[in-house]
Amino acid sequence: MGPDRRRSRRRLSRRGWIVAGSVLLVVLVGMPLAAIPTARAVEASLTTDLQVAQADLQHGLERLETGYRNQSAADVRAASASFASSRDHLRALARRVRPLDAGRAPAVPGLVRGRVTTLDAIIDMATHLDTAGMTGAQALLQSGLVGGTAAGGPAGTAQLTELLAAIRDQLAQANRSAAGVDVSVLPAGQRETLTKALGELRAAVTGLDAVWPSLNAVLDLLGMNGPRTYLIEQTNAAELRAGGGFIGTVSLVHADRGRVTLTRSLPVESFDYCDAAACVHPRPRPGQPGYVAPPAELTGPPLPTFSRVTAWSLEDSGFAPDFATNAATAETFARKLLNTPIDGVVAVDFYAVAPLLQLTGPISLPQYKLTLTAANFVDQIVSLDLDRDPAHKDVIAAAAARIVTSLSHLPPNGLSRLVGIVQDMIRGRHLQVHFDAPGVQEEAGRLGFSEVLNPRHAEDFLLETEDNYGGSKANYFIRRGFQLELSQTGSTLHHRLTVTLHDGAPPDRPYDGPQYYAYLRVTIPADATRVSVNSAKSAEYAPITAPARRTQVPPPGAQVAGGWIFILVGEGLSGDYQATFTWDTPWTPAADGSASMYWQKQPGTVKDAVKVMWTPAGAAAVSTTTDLSQDRVVTLRPNAVAVGPAPAPAPAG
């Protein structure tokens, strides 16, 4: 369903890089029209007209992008004129090739018929692209995004939505026309170019269609309805937490009527309550200003004294199994300690950042003698952390600033790729968002974002999480595997989850990971019964141990079971640990005898191995393997088991 056009009009800014990007997205296909051969009956003069139209279209694309980049209304108007000229040449050309209509008759040789049909499709497709370009120029000028505010003020979001809808429609029509292009009638040397252009057109359609249901959320996110400030958490997955990782660095991003700027990027010790030597605010004690009691699970035995949390803070706020709770906690601290309004929280780990460098290209940071690429980003950032390099957080801040700047100037054909990368980030839970405006959060859900536990509202669900409070970066070295055994007895479904961990950290680097002190837990349905937590007998390691006290309240409909594990690495120690959870839920199959379970992935993890074994009542066991690179759905059938990707969360309401 399209955006609600009844929203009240709001003023737009002059620099809406996402909006301008959306405009450019629809005209990204600068088709090599001059290279398209016509049917044999087409005269050379027609080819000349085609070349002129192509040149005007290409010129329009270049001037439109230049106009946006340089905030030049003159360039945007020139672009519109070029698109109009191209369109007029194409229309004239279409009239001149009408005598070729006979070339489509069944009796005409296939080669000639294919060339005539392809010529018509190319003309029609390019005409729609020209129209989209003219509408894009109109959007830039009337909205005030370039060249100053138009008479009567900039266009409101409703008018901008209408213009974007018109562009989307022209893009869709161009894509339908493209279906009539037969690449095989082209000379071999020209097929690859046109095939690539057609692929970009299809990608543009797909990308815009993906964003369209949530367009109102995107516009609000960009500050089209007023200034917005977002807290960006750079979570460290090498020091894993339920919410994705320890929060070592944050940024503030400000959006005001389309202009998105990175205003600040700073390490948490420069403003948060913490224990590090560089902390400007030591953790307060009970009764002191700023004190917030932490979850009791983190405050006492069996945790060693140095790992216990004495006061709650932003850096440790990712302890809950749902991002909505974690984000609300972080917002509370950020508003007070940074003295700024916060309209939403975005958490991103280094696994999400690396693919962005495929779009921006390498990021050079000469002040740190580093060049960051998609291939080396994770290893470089983690290596700086492992080496206790004092500049490692400064590197993250500098890289964040460069990446935001580069993304704001993406070429048009990069925007559809960006949509795909973001969708991959969402599926892998490497990118999480929370917006304070309920309507915006709901529409973000249409893009696949989910801030809640069990987003599909499944009757049976599972989330395994680990919270590393040992002060190490052990999770960079942890190998993890899951074996889930399911069996049915009468009206009961038995669950047995075995979590196998191996800490492969080098034992001679005490801060890298030889100690993995983690709170290992599962979040399961509230009506689950006979819940037990155990660990394999070991001469090396203590058994999993419940915290002395618990105060964390699980999300509605859920319960938590787990305890602390302590893995050390060194001489005579294997680094191997195994914990097992068992529980029962009601067996309530569908009419066809099938049942399913939603398995939610922990943010900050990558691609843990999974084996699922299923024993139906009175039948032989079956099994399958997969990975937990994203949320999964386990489907049980009378004689089979399957594990597949979880569908996108159901929209609220």
Side-chain angles (χ1 to χ4, degrees), residues 541-565:
Y541 305 117
I544 188 169
T545 306
R549 294 191 305 122
R550 302 178 192 264
T551 57
Q552 186 187 40
V553 178
Q559 62 176 300
V560 171
W564 287 98
I565 63 172

Side-chain angles (χ1 to χ4, degrees), residues 486-492 587 614-620 637-639:
L486 301 168
S487 59
Q488 177 214 344
T489 303
S491 60
T492 299
W587 172 251
W614 162 230
T615 306
R637 301 190 184 281
N639 294 294

Side-chain angles (χ1 to χ4, degrees), residues 603-625:
T605 59
V606 184
K607 200 174 182 180
D608 298 323
V610 170
K611 181 177 182 179
V612 178
M613 303 176 66
W614 162 230
T615 306
V622 291
S623 65
T624 187
T625 59

Side-chain angles (χ1 to χ4, degrees), residues 121 124-126 128-129 131 166-179 201 205:
D124 193 48
M125 177 175 59
H128 288 303
L129 292 175
T131 304
I167 295 170
R168 182 186 182 219
D169 180 64
Q170 290 297 325
L171 179 61
Q173 292 188 61
N175 192 43
R176 287 193 290 271
S177 298
L201 176 58
V205 172

Side-chain angles (χ1 to χ4, degrees), residues 320-400:
D322 62 298
F323 189 65
T325 300
N326 293 332
T329 302
E331 280 189 341
T332 300
F333 285 111
R335 289 190 182 111
K336 177 180 180 181
L337 296 172
L338 295 174
N339 192 30
T340 187
I342 301 293
D343 298 293
V345 180
V346 178
V348 58
D349 63 30
F350 39 62
Y351 297 114
V353 176
L356 295 176
L357 298 180
Q358 297 173 5
L359 293 177
T360 66
I363 298 293
S364 178
L365 301 174
Q367 67 272 41
Y368 303 109
K369 298 180 180 179
L370 285 175
T371 297
L372 301 175
T373 68
N376 73 11
F377 182 83
V378 173
D379 289 339
Q380 287 278 17
I381 295 301
V382 175
S383 293
L384 291 172
D385 199 3
L386 296 179
D387 292 341
R388 288 299 194 259
D389 190 317
H392 85 275
K393 291 185 178 180
D394 295 333
V395 170
I396 294 173

Side-chain angles (χ1 to χ4, degrees), residues 9 30 72 86 169 185 192 225 317 400 455-457 523 528 561 600 606:
R9 292 190 175 189
S72 169
S86 174
D169 180 64
V185 305
E192 182 178 354
N225 295 324
S317 60
R456 295 295 300 184
H457 312 294
T523 304
Q600 189 165 325
V606 184

Side-chain angles (χ1 to χ4, degrees), residues 94-381:
R95 290 192 295 269
R96 295 178 65 191
V97 299
R98 282 176 185 166
L100 296 176
D101 286 350
R104 301 185 190 87
V108 174
L111 177 62
V112 175
R113 187 168 61 251
R115 287 172 178 263
V116 172
T117 301
T118 292
L119 174 62
D120 283 345
I122 289 292
I123 292 173
D124 193 48
M125 177 175 59
T127 301
H128 288 303
L129 292 175
D130 281 323
T131 304
M134 295 168 64
T135 307
Q138 180 185 359
L140 290 174
L141 293 170
Q142 291 189 1
S143 66
L145 292 171
V146 299
T149 302
T157 52
Q159 183 178 351
L160 181 58
T161 298
E162 291 177 0
L163 290 170
L164 292 174
I167 295 170
R168 182 186 182 219
D169 180 64
Q170 290 297 325
L171 179 61
Q173 292 188 61
N175 192 43
R176 287 193 290 271
S177 298
V181 175
D182 182 0
V183 179
S184 68
V185 305
L186 307 180
Q190 298 169 356
R191 294 173 187 171
E192 182 178 354
T193 300
L194 183 57
T195 298
K196 180 181 178 182
L198 294 175
E200 289 177 336
L201 176 58
R202 287 190 292 271
V205 172
T206 301
L208 190 54
D209 284 348
V211 172
W212 193 257
S214 301
L215 183 62
N216 283 332
V218 173
L219 295 179
D220 190 271
L221 171 68
L222 294 169
M224 296 299 187
N225 295 324
R228 300 286 186 265
T229 299
Y230 304 104
L231 177 72
I232 312 299
E233 302 174 340
Q234 285 101 41
T235 58
N236 188 346
E239 193 171 343
L240 191 63
R241 302 292 170 86
F246 174 77
I247 304 167
T249 309
V250 301
S251 299
L252 291 176
V253 171
H254 187 69
D256 189 2
R257 295 171 180 167
R259 183 174 184 177
V260 180
T261 55
L262 180 66
T263 58
R264 299 171 69 184
S265 192
L266 60 168
V268 290
E269 58 265 25
S270 67
F271 70 91
D272 195 20
Y273 301 122
C274 54
D275 302 312
C279 288
V280 298
H281 297 301
R283 293 183 192 265
R285 298 180 180 277
Q288 292 181 336
Y291 175 79
V292 177
E297 290 88 338
L298 306 176
T299 62
L303 269 178
T305 303
F306 77 87
S307 289
R308 298 176 188 176
V309 178
T310 58
W312 207 218
S313 62
L314 188 149
E315 68 177 14
D316 291 318
S317 60
F319 184 65
D322 62 298
F323 189 65
T325 300
N326 293 332
T329 302
E331 280 189 341
T332 300
F333 285 111
R335 289 190 182 111
K336 177 180 180 181
L337 296 172
L338 295 174
N339 192 30
T340 187
I342 301 293
D343 298 293
V345 180
V346 178
V348 58
D349 63 30
F350 39 62
Y351 297 114
V353 176
L356 295 176
L357 298 180
Q358 297 173 5
L359 293 177
T360 66
I363 298 293
S364 178
L365 301 174
Q367 67 272 41
Y368 303 109
K369 298 180 180 179
L370 285 175
T371 297
L372 301 175
T373 68
N376 73 11
F377 182 83
V378 173
D379 289 339
Q380 287 278 17
I381 295 301

